[in-house]
Amino acid sequence: MAHIIVVGNEKGGAGKSTVSMHVATALVRMGHKVGALDLDLRQKTFGRYVENRRKTAQKEGLELATPDYRDLPEIDKDSLKPGENIFDHRLSAAVATLAPDSDFILIDCPGSHTRLSQVAHSLADTLVTPLNDSFIDFDLLAHVDGDAEKILGPSVYSEMVWNARQLRAQAGLEPIDWIVVRNRLGAQNMVNKKKMAAALDKLSKRIGFRTAPGFNERVIFRELFPRGLTLLDLKDIGVTQLNISNVAARQELRDLMGALNLPGVKVDF
């Protein structure tokens, strides 16, 4: 069966779609078959990223490793039984369509609490939660005291993940491997970094997740989106000499892929 990777966080601006695109295309480049879904039905940033990529490949005559992206299928409301949710059926139908031909299915969730996001989290074999290195974002995971040293209790997103874990346990499925990715790290604010690292370490032991390094704040990520490109495509578009920032960013992606510890994946780029 396809291994399902869910990229989720109830707050926007944490870099979910950037992480989704880089993880999905890295897997394709390494020879894996990857299906992809975007559950943000309004903005569809991940879906637009893939669309931009296909247009660039066609326009410039390039062969770019691209996940098999699908929109959620429409469901006839008249076919639903009383009490059934149409979003549940749309997501399950999409996953069922992709699963036979995929090693992995990557699902990018919206930066808000939706029914689709809830269901997707219960399907996750691997859950990746990008988190800005800020206690504003940390507040979705847990509440802390005024000194940011004592954890007062889990917050709304952690509670949703807990519910998803309970549903998987009831269905006899393997536990979710939850990885919190510290994203958009800056070069300064060392005191904040140390406090965030300490808080995440305490919380990880309390509610059961792993931490992994993400991407530093870099201009290149904003520049790549309009063409649908990733860090691994630079040589394909004629960039033969990578600058220091690009080399560092590529290493960040390599480190992230290694930290995810996905089944059957040997990071070799």
Side-chain angles (χ1 to χ4, degrees), residues 59-74:
K59 179 181 178 181
E60 301 183 18
L62 299 172
E63 290 188 11
L64 297 175
T66 304
D68 182 8
Y69 175 82
R70 308 281 182 92
D71 286 322
L72 295 189
E74 297 295 335

Side-chain angles (χ1 to χ4, degrees), residues 7-56:
V7 181
N9 181 341
E10 289 186 25
K11 186 178 182 299
K16 290 188 299 297
S17 296
T18 298
V19 168
S20 294
M21 190 64 174
H22 279 77
V23 169
T25 55
L27 287 170
V28 177
R29 274 185 170 271
M30 290 186 285
H32 301 280
K33 297 178 181 178
V34 182
L37 301 170
D38 189 343
L39 303 190
D40 189 339
L41 302 184
R42 180 173 175 81
Q43 191 167 348
K44 287 188 178 180
T45 303
F46 181 39
R48 286 182 53 77
Y49 209 144
V50 178
E51 181 183 354
N52 293 345
R53 186 176 185 81
R54 288 173 175 164
K55 288 179 178 178
T56 295

Side-chain angles (χ1 to χ4, degrees), residues 125-163:
D125 297 303
T126 297
L127 172 61
V128 182
T129 300
L131 192 75
N132 287 327
D133 213 43
S134 162
F135 279 101
I136 295 175
D137 281 34
F138 186 88
D139 194 62
L140 281 171
L141 297 179
H143 301 305
V144 295
D145 65 2
D147 295 322
E149 293 181 355
K150 181 179 180 181
I151 294 173
L152 304 178
S155 190
V156 289
Y157 183 71
S158 295
E159 290 171 352
M160 185 177 78
V161 175
W162 171 255
N163 290 333

Side-chain angles (χ1 to χ4, degrees), residues 226-241:
R227 298 176 69 188
L229 299 175
T230 71
L231 293 167
L232 301 181
D233 305 315
L234 297 180
K235 290 184 178 179
D236 294 335
I237 61 172
V239 179
T240 55
Q241 293 294 325

